[in-house]
Amino acid sequence: MNTALLRTAEELHARVRHGRRAVVMTMGALHEGHATLVRAAREIAGPDGEVVVTVFVNPLQFGAGEDLDRYPRTLEADLKIAEEAGADVVFAPSVDEVYPGGQPQVRVTAGPMGTLLEGASRPGHFDGVLTVVAKLLHLTRPDVALFGQKDAQQLAVIRRMVRDLNFGIEIVGVPTVREADGLALSSRNRYLSADERRTALALSRALFAGRDRHAAQEALRARAREVPSSRARAEALSAIGESRAAADAHAVAKAVPNAAAAVRAAARQVLDEAAHYDPPVELDYLALVDPSDFTEIDDDFTGEAVLAVAARVGTTRLIDNIPLTFGTLGAAS
């Protein structure tokens, strides 16, 4: 496959379309995580469709003092990775092509969700993200757009924008791709020294500790449903070797109502320890949130949730998250 490199929307619009167009938006510096997105897009578009990868370092989403100037720009390597993953087109517009006449005076705002977590740490970031995503969706005219779940809050605000503003485009989230040691793939990982990279593993270890605590809590919850409802039956079963069920019931009574707090505590313990590493993890936030609005969940929450972390290691800021489901394991129909 020969992947076309296009610089203008006019060139892209001139292409004859037959099937579905699937778009993967990137800021370049492509890695295996991006390649996974492109392969997923290829599968969705099918052999008759078209996969477009955008490469554009968006100045609107970088705040003062952030790494816009040093953000890696590796278009030749990006083109090769996109081609090998199955892209038909790499659309790499200039800043003037995306923002003719300078930065736009009219922008898309992320609303309340855009002020939380990443939005609180990086004011205006999500307004810049949504503005460029809206523009690139108009410029590329896709049927479906794919985004990585590593940027969970970004995925959430994009989904909300597309729904609230009636874009009529399908948004697909693709699971996070990790190194063998658990570190989430990121273009910013290349900034890490060997010592910093070892420290950065604390982020994924914290998430996995929270996930493991969550699994134990949910197993207790499921076990509780098997425990006899009457004391007489519990005593009878205990006499024939079912005392563990009664013990589990007592544990569930204490543990399950605090399931969210226990998950947070397990993850925080790892991060607290990592704060004393050399170099240390400098925690920005650890949050367990409802992915529909990114507000913190309560201990009686049921449904899908996201355990998210952001921290700085050296001069590099990293984010990561994992999805969790509360209270539905073994639920009665």
Side-chain angles (χ1 to χ4, degrees):
M1 174 184 292
N2 293 320
T3 299
L5 175 61
L6 306 182
R7 298 286 192 171
T8 69
E10 183 178 4
E11 292 175 299
L12 185 58
H13 297 166
R15 291 177 64 89
V16 177
R17 296 175 60 172
H18 299 288
R20 302 180 81 197
R21 175 178 285 174
V23 166
V24 174
M25 296 186 188
T26 83
M27 292 205 300
L30 302 191
H31 49 64
E32 179 58 26
H34 297 109
T36 298
L37 285 167
V38 177
R39 287 192 291 268
R42 179 79 272 160
E43 185 173 343
I44 288 172
D48 297 326
E50 183 177 59
V51 174
V52 177
V53 176
T54 70
V55 174
F56 180 68
V57 181
N58 176 35
L60 296 192
Q61 67 193 72
F62 288 81
E66 293 189 341
D67 57 355
L68 173 61
D69 291 337
R70 72 167 184 151
Y71 196 87
R73 291 161 172 83
T74 57
L75 183 58
E76 185 175 342
D78 295 343
L79 185 61
K80 182 178 180 181
I81 290 173
E83 183 171 272
E84 290 175 349
D88 298 289
V89 174
V90 167
F91 177 53
S94 66
V95 173
D96 288 340
E97 177 73 13
V98 178
Y99 300 121
Q103 293 193 4
Q105 295 189 33
V106 176
R107 307 188 185 194
V108 180
T109 178
M113 199 190 318
T115 66
L116 305 172
L117 301 185
E118 284 298 291
S121 297
R122 307 173 68 187
H125 169 70
F126 285 120
D127 292 355
V129 168
L130 292 185
T131 299
V132 77
V133 169
K135 294 206 65 152
L136 288 172
L137 288 175
H138 290 313
L139 291 172
T140 59
R141 301 175 183 175
D143 301 288
V144 57
L146 296 87
F147 297 88
Q149 291 179 359
K150 187 180 82 70
D151 296 294
Q153 192 172 4
Q154 172 180 281
L155 176 60
V157 296
I158 290 171
R159 280 179 165 152
R160 192 63 184 246
M161 176 188 73
V162 166
R163 182 171 68 249
D164 286 356
L165 301 185
N166 303 100
F167 272 66
I169 295 167
E170 181 185 358
I171 302 297
V172 173
V174 177
T176 301
V177 178
R178 299 183 180 278
E179 299 278 8
D181 58 10
L183 185 69
L185 290 182
S186 170
S187 299
R188 289 186 169 91
N189 289 350
R190 66 185 65 195
Y191 300 152
L192 298 169
S193 69
D195 289 341
E196 288 169 347
R197 194 188 182 288
R198 282 191 290 271
T199 289
L201 292 175
L203 273 68
S204 55
R205 284 204 304 268
L207 297 179
F208 298 158
R211 179 193 61 191
D212 292 346
R213 181 64 59 86
H214 167 264
Q217 297 284 99
E218 290 298 310
L220 283 177
R221 191 189 299 271
R223 183 71 172 169
R225 294 192 177 94
E226 302 171 3
V227 174
S229 58
S230 72
R231 181 172 180 177
R233 180 159 170 74
E235 290 175 349
L237 286 177
S238 294
I240 58 172
E242 291 293 330
S243 58
R244 175 61 185 274
D248 280 355
H250 177 71
V252 169
K254 288 184 171 295
V256 172
N258 301 314
V263 169
R264 292 186 184 96
R268 182 167 288 278
Q269 181 178 353
V270 175
L271 295 167
D272 287 346
E273 293 172 0
H276 301 290
Y277 290 176
D278 182 19
V281 166
E282 299 175 25
L283 183 64
D284 186 346
Y285 62 75
L286 173 70
L288 184 56
V289 299
D290 181 338
S292 68
D293 59 10
F294 265 69
T295 58
E296 291 279 352
I297 66 170
D298 297 325
D299 281 322
D300 60 353
F301 179 86
T302 60
E304 300 296 320
V306 171
L307 180 62
V309 63
R312 194 171 294 276
V313 179
T315 60
T316 304
R317 187 174 183 277
L318 301 170
I319 62 172
D320 199 355
N321 71 84
I322 55 172
L324 300 173
T325 304
F326 283 83
T328 59
L329 183 63
S333 57

